[in-house]
Amino acid sequence: MATLIEKKIGEHRGVSRVYIEGLRLAREGFQPGMTYQRIIKAEEGKIVLRLIDSGDYVVSKKNIRDTELPVLDIRTEELTKIAGNSGRVRILIANKCIVILRHFNDEKIADRMLRMLNEVEQGKLSVASLFHGGGVASGGIHCGLKIAGISSKLAMAVEIEDAYIESSLRNNPDLWDENSVVINAGVEGVRYHQSGIPRVSLLESGIPCTGAASAGKAKLGLTFAEDHPTAGAAFFYTLQAIDFMNPCLIVIENVKNYAKTASASIIRSVLGNLGYSMQEILLKGEDFGALENRERWIMLATTIGLEEFIKLDDIYKFRSAPPAKIQEILESDVDNSRWKEYTYLREKEARDIAAGKGFRMQILNEESTSCPTLTRGYSRVRSTDPILSKNDGSDLLRLFTPAEHARLKTIPESVLDGLSETIAHQIAGQSVVYNWFVAIGRLIGDGLQSYQSTQSKQSAA
């Protein structure tokens, strides 16, 4: 038999204390009047109580309704050291022995903080990327960390689309090294204990937004974001990865509606229980040099203790102004064959207006000072997607090129090199404003450098 108890340590007359009573003790052999020895193994983070004849300590008793029950009242300052910041311990009772252990969350916190400090000292941070896409967000974080003086490499990336992961491997060579684990599969198919997945210091996850985005919910008639057949459970697999990989920092991004979903509430609750402090913010593209009117919800989860060094609101010190006009991001040598009348789009708009529908074309020109969001399906030429008019008084229109799409989101054009137009627009369209993640990387890098410096000074003192 065995009994496992989780307890918050208390205090009695200024001394740390753990109090246990009842059948939980009796069923494992601890009876009133029996004696035991106490062995403190501070370096291992545990206290061992073992029943022996003529031990230094006695199992006390308590009478409840004419029943005599055993009591253990353990008082020692070593409990404070074992319990750590959480103040919790785990107590295993079996085979006439009790072991008081540091809580597993405290073990995980200590492990990830030590890993992070070692990697910052070595100048190379390990990163994991879920729903990697073409590596835009990962590339931005890598760039920002580098500006802050910290190199980084992908320890692992998960992406289900062949073309996207191939593109990232080819076009983001700085992200990868010979030890990077590539998982070309859905996150639900990853078996972390069987796949040689490493622990990391930073995890980035662009959880699919199709269940939370207004258009996606309306199209499928979803009541809840979690009802989406493929994206609904994505948060669960993200939490599963976090629990195993035990990162020190976590960056999650999604559409702004995601912040109000049950998924986001569960993420907050689970990460809080795992010892993280959460910060959240809504970022706009125009604040970080993008002409595209994209907004995104960002959650930054830092291991408790780091939040004082990495404040998400400080991201605004890395603001940059976007180009003044659309003209400034246009390619100069676009093939004339791209210009078309798109009569069917204008006819559809007329039908929608006549039917009282709200669908309208979004026609821009060179003088436009911003651009609505270009999405993953942009290459399909849909009636409400942003489209550019020719600056000659004609009715000719064209889609933005992949290079222009990248510029609208501040994405380096090299990220889309060698791709078909369809795949290029998919990668850019489902991605993020690159400069957001450069700023996040810089913010994290500066904070980690400051934390590492503070720890070094304290150790020296």
Side-chain angles (χ1 to χ4, degrees), residues 32 114 287 381-382:
L114 179 61
D287 290 332
V381 197
R382 297 165 300 188

Side-chain angles (χ1 to χ4, degrees), residues 288-409:
F288 291 85
L291 279 169
E292 187 183 89
N293 292 331
R294 175 161 289 212
E295 281 187 308
R296 268 298 195 268
W297 168 78
I298 307 289
M299 173 187 279
L300 173 63
T302 59
T303 297
I304 290 174
L306 285 178
E307 68 274 12
E308 293 301 313
F309 295 85
I310 306 173
K311 298 181 183 296
L312 193 51
D313 284 341
D314 289 345
I315 195 171
Y316 288 111
K317 67 186 177 184
F318 302 123
R319 285 190 187 198
S320 56
K325 299 177 181 179
I326 292 289
Q327 182 183 31
E328 296 177 39
I329 60 92
L330 297 179
E331 293 193 81
S332 58
D333 55 349
V334 172
D335 194 304
N336 276 331
S337 65
R338 296 184 67 88
W339 294 100
K340 300 175 184 178
E341 292 188 351
Y342 288 112
T343 305
Y344 69 94
L345 293 181
R346 298 184 188 277
E347 291 174 348
K348 182 181 184 305
E349 182 181 55
R351 291 195 303 272
D352 288 337
I353 292 172
K357 297 178 181 179
F359 302 119
R360 299 290 185 273
M361 294 180 68
Q362 301 189 81
I363 300 176
L364 310 178
N365 58 48
E366 294 182 359
E367 298 301 309
S368 298
T369 56
S370 64
C371 178
T373 299
L374 276 64
T375 61
R376 183 177 183 274
Y378 184 67
S379 63
R380 300 205 298 267
V381 197
R382 297 165 300 188
S383 63
T384 58
D385 282 331
I387 196 164
L388 187 67
S389 65
K390 195 166 188 179
N391 195 30
D392 62 359
S394 70
D395 290 334
L396 295 177
L397 305 168
R398 73 168 175 85
L399 294 182
F400 289 102
T401 67
E404 291 164 349
H405 189 165
R407 295 170 189 173
L408 287 167
K409 288 183 169 76

